[in-house]
Amino acid sequence: MAEAEEDKSSSRVDAQDMEMELVKAAYYGRCKVLKNQGSFRFVVKVQIENFGNISFQIPASYPDELPSILCTGSSPKESEMLTDDLMELSITYRGKPMLMDILSSASNKIEPHNLVTEQDNGHSSSKRQQKKRKNKKQFKDPAEDIGQKLPAMKTAEDCIARIQWDEGLLAERFSVGYIDRLYPVQFIMLISVNSNWHLRI
């Protein structure tokens, strides 16, 4: 009996890992997958064109247990509507992999939502685009006003040293992201550094 439970758990983990790889491949460069975040096995954040982000919090018993879904777009009303629609849709997929289907459905739903809100507001898309262009022209870079360069960004060594020596900052709460030539952005916990504070990669 215990072996059957372990086999089911093992196959569930393998299926979850495969699904995460599919999502990363389909949304390459627009997807972030974090593993073992608190009580969730995965936290997935996908950037959707012409909208914003859709985040999934995947529990260990997924797909039997539904993921939490949060949409963050340009308007709170649109985000709330899309979140509700996707949560309802996820119920129909309970027990089988659903992320790709939900993301595909979200992409299809975004266009009609945008058209409805434009008509409801009484703005045509051309007027809205003209207004955006006008706002972009009004933006000025602060460096132009000052006539000087912006200050240089802090180096990784500076940031690590600050975390190491500032008693108010706990190294356990920080992770470091880096780009590997074979994989998208990789994350490691900052506590995965040796006593000389050099990253072990």
Side-chain angles (χ1 to χ4, degrees):
M1 185 86 162
E3 288 180 21
E5 245 345 273
E6 284 182 30
D7 289 344
K8 184 177 179 183
S9 176
S10 176
S11 65
R12 178 184 292 148
V13 167
D14 291 342
Q16 290 172 355
D17 290 339
M18 270 182 39
E19 186 175 9
M20 294 310 126
E21 291 302 318
L22 280 172
V23 171
K24 285 195 281 188
Y27 292 90
Y28 183 77
R30 298 182 294 145
C31 174
K32 184 192 299 186
V33 177
L34 302 174
K35 198 170 184 177
N36 298 326
Q37 298 294 309
S39 62
F40 301 105
R41 180 138 196 282
F42 292 102
V43 174
V44 181
K45 187 173 188 177
V46 179
Q47 183 181 12
I48 302 295
E49 198 170 334
N50 298 324
F51 178 70
N53 297 312
I54 299 178
S55 299
F56 300 91
Q57 294 176 328
I58 312 290
S61 58
Y62 168 86
D64 296 330
E65 185 180 343
L66 297 176
S68 299
I69 303 173
L70 176 65
C71 302
T72 52
S74 57
S75 107
K77 183 177 179 182
E78 265 184 43
S79 299
E80 186 178 338
M81 284 174 49
L82 188 59
T83 299
D84 292 344
D85 289 348
L86 298 182
M87 287 300 292
E88 285 179 26
L89 180 63
S90 71
I91 294 169
T92 64
Y93 287 106
R94 184 187 301 266
K96 53 188 175 181
M98 63 183 81
L99 295 185
M100 291 299 293
D101 293 324
I102 289 174
L103 289 167
S104 175
S105 176
S107 296
N108 294 335
K109 290 177 183 263
I110 287 169
E111 284 303 316
H113 280 302
N114 285 339
L115 292 175
V116 169
T117 56
E118 285 176 5
Q119 291 169 356
D120 288 347
N121 292 335
H123 296 292
S124 69
S125 62
S126 62
K127 285 182 182 179
R128 183 171 278 201
Q129 288 173 352
Q130 288 172 355
K131 189 174 182 179
K132 283 183 181 178
R133 282 190 213 121
K134 186 177 179 182
N135 289 342
K136 283 184 180 179
K137 289 177 184 175
Q138 293 174 352
F139 174 77
K140 289 186 178 179
D141 188 6
E144 292 176 1
D145 293 339
I146 299 171
Q148 298 176 354
K149 283 182 158 182
L150 293 174
M153 291 180 63
K154 300 285 184 194
T155 65
E157 290 173 347
D158 290 340
C159 295
I160 291 172
R162 166 94 190 269
I163 295 167
Q164 179 186 11
W165 298 108
D166 190 335
E167 293 176 5
L169 301 175
L170 299 174
E172 301 88 37
R173 301 189 78 197
F174 291 88
S175 61
V176 176
Y178 65 95
I179 297 175
D180 187 294
R181 63 185 178 95
L182 299 176
Y183 302 102
V185 176
Q186 300 291 310
F187 291 89
I188 61 170
M189 295 304 295
L190 189 59
I191 58 174
S192 298
V193 294
N194 66 22
S195 60
N196 295 327
W197 287 82
H198 292 115
L199 293 177
R200 288 185 298 194
I201 297 174

